[in-house]
Amino acid sequence: MSSPRPASLAAGLGAAVTAISSAALVILLAEPLPPPVIAAGRVTVTGLALLLLGAKELGSLRLALRDRGVSLRIVIAAGLLAVHFAAWVASLSLTTVPRAVTLVATQPLFAGLVGRWVGDRAPMSLYVGAAVALAGTLVMVAGEDPSGMVGFNGGDGLALLAAAAAAAYLAVGRSVRKQLPLRPYLGTVHLVAAVLLGLMVVLGSYEPWPTGADGTDLLALLYLGLVPGLIGHGLINWAVRFVPVHVVALATLVEPVGATVLTVLLFGYTVTSAELWGAGVLLVGVALGLPRRPS
């Protein structure tokens, strides 16, 4: 496979970052819907799209699912994906956008720590980066946010939970990557996650279609599933075939900046100096902790 030109790679990464940066904004626009409903809608759309794109490989998936170990790992991965999106969407309504999008960007650090736990080598840069990111988090939550809340809050905790769940989800996916075709696997995991999120809606007595919701909220779910979910992450997976993983990971660290700028411009949110400085330090820590060589 020939490598695309640098300009094409840069354009692809730029489009990917733009797509994923818009997710927080669109989630806020769909806020009449409860967080589990938004999360379930997003993963349903992405899952269906992935299964359609990987329809030719469904036979290989069915054969692999006869292995109980593989089936179990798919369910575990789906559960982790459901936790990621449920926590991430909920965090946006409980803390500020700069905090939520920056804290969820700590996923690479959690991935390194999870990898260390399952036996991968962890470079010293991972621990240095984690320490710097922790310092940035403390700076970010030290001041009073625009809503009047001081210190670390529940929304901040949910954003960190979302980052940790995403890291564990990727670790499970890595364990079955040689046994399953990628798109049918991802599509299946997303749809099982949608079922789990649907159960959360029922058991949590959430109203699936609350007063104030309208057709634009359905469009928001469609957008979340196709643009950030399919196009954004699809371009990221395309880019890593030609560019070192740490370069792509560094590019995705622009997401918190893009998400914050979009919400400030469209919603008029106020960003405090503590959030700006803390987010900057935290992202530097994440960048320091990224691997420089393929494992």
Side-chain angles (χ1 to χ4, degrees):
M1 181 183 296
S2 60
S3 178
R5 285 186 276 181
S8 299
L9 283 168
L13 273 175
V17 172
T18 301
I20 61 179
S21 296
S22 65
L25 168 68
V26 178
I27 287 171
L28 291 173
L29 291 174
E31 257 191 357
L33 300 177
V37 173
I38 296 174
R42 171 172 175 160
V43 296
T44 298
V45 172
T46 303
L48 290 174
L50 285 166
L51 285 183
L52 286 174
L53 290 172
K56 294 181 179 179
E57 301 171 296
L58 288 177
S60 300
L61 176 67
R62 282 194 291 268
L63 287 174
L65 289 178
R66 294 177 182 176
D67 185 326
R68 290 185 179 180
V70 171
S71 298
L72 177 61
R73 278 177 281 183
I74 285 178
V75 173
I76 293 172
L80 291 166
L81 189 66
V83 170
H84 165 72
F85 278 116
W88 159 233
V89 173
S91 72
L92 287 167
S93 60
L94 297 173
T95 190
T96 65
V97 170
R99 291 191 188 191
V101 295
T102 305
L103 290 170
V104 82
T106 58
Q107 175 190 328
L109 296 181
F110 282 106
L113 295 172
V114 169
R116 177 70 180 86
W117 180 58
V118 297
D120 289 344
R121 294 180 61 186
M124 182 57 65
S125 61
L126 173 66
Y127 301 106
V128 173
V132 174
L134 176 60
T137 301
L138 294 175
V139 171
M140 187 164 55
V141 303
E144 182 176 303
D145 70 30
S147 66
M149 184 174 293
V150 181
F152 193 85
N153 61 57
D156 299 330
L158 285 173
L160 286 175
L161 174 61
Y169 156 73
L170 292 175
V172 174
R174 177 184 171 187
S175 72
V176 295
R177 63 183 175 181
K178 294 181 180 179
Q179 298 163 278
L180 295 167
L182 181 61
R183 283 178 292 193
Y185 161 72
L186 291 175
T188 302
V189 168
H190 276 71
L191 291 181
V192 175
V195 172
L196 296 175
L197 288 164
L199 288 174
M200 184 184 298
V201 172
V202 173
L203 296 176
S205 300
Y206 291 97
E207 188 177 355
W209 195 254
T211 303
D214 55 31
T216 59
D217 297 309
L218 288 178
L219 292 177
L221 297 182
L222 187 64
Y223 177 93
L224 287 169
L226 293 178
V227 179
L230 185 67
I231 297 174
H233 290 283
L235 286 171
I236 288 171
N237 281 284
W238 166 77
V240 296
R241 300 167 73 184
F242 308 103
V243 178
V245 173
H246 73 273
V247 175
V248 177
L250 283 172
T252 61
L253 291 184
V254 180
E255 178 191 355
V257 179
T260 300
V261 169
L262 286 173
T263 50
V264 167
L265 290 177
L266 293 178
F267 288 107
Y269 283 177
T270 301
V271 182
T272 67
S273 58
E275 288 176 335
L276 285 175
W277 282 106
V281 173
L282 187 151
L283 293 177
V284 167
V286 174
L288 288 172
L290 292 173
R292 271 18 181 209
R293 295 182 300 276
S295 57

